[in-house]
Amino acid sequence: MYAVDATAALFVQRWNEAAGLPLGDCPVRGVLDRISDKWSMLLVMTLADAPKRFNQLRREVPDISQKMLTQTLRTLQRDGMVARQVFDTKPPAVEYRLTPLGQSIIVPVGYLIDWASKNHPRIDQARVAFDAAA
Amino acid sequence: MYAVDATAALFVQRWNEAAGLPLGDCPVRGVLDRISDKWSMLLVMTLADAPKRFNQLRREVPDISQKMLTQTLRTLQRDGMVARQVFDTKPPAVEYRLTPLGQSIIVPVGYLIDWASKNHPRIDQARVAFDAAA
DNA sequence: CTGCATCCTGGAAGATACTG
DNA sequence: CAGTATCTTCCAGGATGCAG
């Protein structure tokens, strides 16, 4: 055991319960896998402040290919995180917006982002030290 | 804009600042990428309650290959999240434990796990509905 | 027990071209 | 503008065998 704070201990306990499930039935594994794909969370955060259109997303995430943009948006839509609204104008416009479910993940992902921005210098330091030792 | 709560709005604002950075310089992207690999967070959570040895980890995460276990542990060690301690016994024993940095990520990841366990039924529903519509 | 070395494959992702 | 279709590349990850 370590000395961990109460919040961490609670999460660890929940995790241990979840981790005991058969692999296919562990909902956490499934969600972590989804989050873990290269673009999903990036798009969720890019849509976090306002709904956006297809090419607007391409501009704001310049290093995503249009194929992966389409594909990731479809997956997010299928998972109920993003809603797709077509405007029947000429030329057609398509707007993507977070659903309430999609919005609800902003906070937990936000904590991770917060952790990242606070601790990435430590990670960088650790890497330099590790590589120097090797 | 959506109507989002204050916490979410704060995280969105921070994200937008981070997202403005050149891609290589965005610390958040880097950390999301690390988290996004298949096994890192799984191992962190498995080590969250107590230090463990190599084959103990194999048993607790039965579907990880030994190659990926070694590889992921090395990466976590390099990033300063995990410490590796060798006991000079016969046969040799090696113990892996979370560093303070590694422990500090339990809480933000925990929020995500919490979100996952609460919302995975909604995601499942959404998928069924989406597939039925198609 | 704790690994490293090698080989190999599936699927993720990129590039390019075309369309309503 | 918002996609689809196809081809190709690339590498994470699995399988297996060996070693200190």
Side-chain angles (χ1 to χ4, degrees), chain B residues 13 30 52-55 63 67 72 82 90 106 130 134:
Chain B
Q13 184 190 334
K52 276 156 195 171
R53 289 173 47 185
F54 190 84
N55 279 337
D63 54 342
K67 173 189 169 185
T72 307
V82 160
K90 284 183 99 124
I106 293 176
F130 184 89

Side-chain angles (χ1 to χ4, degrees), chain A residues 1-2 14-15 27 29 34 36 42 45 47 49 63 78-79 98 103-104 114-115 120 126-127 131, chain B residues 1-2 14-15 23 27 29 36 42 47 49 63 78-79 98 103-104 114-115 120 126-127 131:
Chain A
M1 286 287 293
Y2 317 92
R14 293 225 191 119
W15 166 256
R29 298 279 298 261
R34 161 111 7 261
S36 83
L42 218 50
M45 291 312 288
L47 286 172
D49 57 341
D63 54 342
R78 179 170 182 262
D79 288 350
L98 293 184
Q103 289 177 45
S104 73
D114 206 40
W115 184 92
H120 78 92
R127 281 185 198 170
D131 294 344
Chain B
M1 284 290 291
Y2 316 90
R14 295 224 190 119
W15 167 256
L23 296 173
R29 298 278 299 260
S36 84
L42 217 50
L47 286 172
D49 58 341
D63 54 342
R78 178 170 182 260
D79 288 350
L98 293 183
Q103 290 178 44
S104 73
D114 206 39
W115 184 93
H120 78 93
R127 280 184 199 171
D131 294 345

Side-chain angles (χ1 to χ4, degrees), chain A:
Chain A
M1 286 287 293
Y2 317 92
V4 285
D5 68 51
T7 310
L10 176 62
F11 284 139
V12 169
Q13 184 191 334
R14 293 225 191 119
W15 166 256
N16 284 332
E17 290 162 11
L21 294 172
L23 296 172
D25 296 355
C26 178
V28 175
R29 298 279 298 261
V31 173
L32 282 187
D33 268 6
R34 161 111 7 261
I35 288 182
S36 83
D37 81 44
K38 196 171 177 182
W39 303 109
S40 289
M41 285 307 98
L42 218 50
L43 288 180
V44 167
M45 291 312 288
T46 305
L47 286 172
D49 57 341
K52 277 157 195 171
R53 290 174 45 185
F54 190 84
N55 279 337
Q56 197 174 355
L57 287 169
R58 287 189 74 176
R59 282 190 296 276
E60 297 195 20
V61 188
D63 54 342
I64 192 173
S65 69
Q66 131 269 53
K67 173 189 168 185
M68 288 318 295
L69 180 53
T70 303
Q71 197 174 108
T72 307
L73 285 171
R74 280 289 175 286
T75 305
L76 288 171
Q77 189 190 348
R78 179 170 182 262
D79 288 350
M81 311 270 289
V82 160
R84 180 177 183 269
Q85 186 175 5
V86 181
F87 296 92
D88 211 2
T89 55
K90 284 181 94 116
V94 181
E95 192 178 81
Y96 294 90
R97 65 170 62 233
L98 293 184
T99 62
L101 181 62
Q103 289 177 45
S104 73
I105 206 180
I106 294 176
V107 170
V109 171
Y111 282 113
L112 218 47
I113 291 178
D114 206 40
W115 184 92
S117 62
K118 280 182 183 130
N119 291 289
H120 78 92
R122 252 175 277 215
I123 294 179
D124 287 342
Q125 277 184 321
R127 281 185 198 170
V128 171
F130 184 89
D131 294 344

Side-chain angles (χ1 to χ4, degrees), chain B residues 14-102:
Chain B
R14 295 224 190 119
W15 167 256
N16 284 332
E17 291 161 9
L21 295 171
L23 296 173
D25 295 356
C26 178
V28 176
R29 298 278 299 260
V31 173
L32 283 187
D33 269 5
R34 162 111 5 261
I35 287 181
S36 84
D37 80 45
K38 197 172 178 182
W39 302 109
S40 289
M41 286 308 98
L42 217 50
L43 287 180
V44 168
M45 291 312 288
T46 304
L47 286 172
D49 58 341
K52 276 156 195 171
R53 289 173 47 185
F54 190 84
N55 279 337
Q56 197 174 357
L57 287 169
R58 287 189 75 175
R59 281 190 297 276
E60 297 196 19
V61 188
D63 54 342
I64 193 174
S65 68
Q66 151 252 53
K67 173 189 169 185
M68 289 317 296
L69 180 54
T70 303
Q71 198 174 104
T72 307
L73 285 170
R74 281 287 174 286
T75 305
L76 289 171
Q77 189 190 351
R78 178 170 182 260
D79 288 350
M81 310 269 290
V82 160
R84 179 177 185 271
Q85 187 176 5
V86 181
F87 296 92
D88 211 2
T89 55
K90 284 183 99 124
V94 180
E95 190 178 82
Y96 295 91
R97 64 171 63 234
L98 293 183
T99 62
L101 181 62

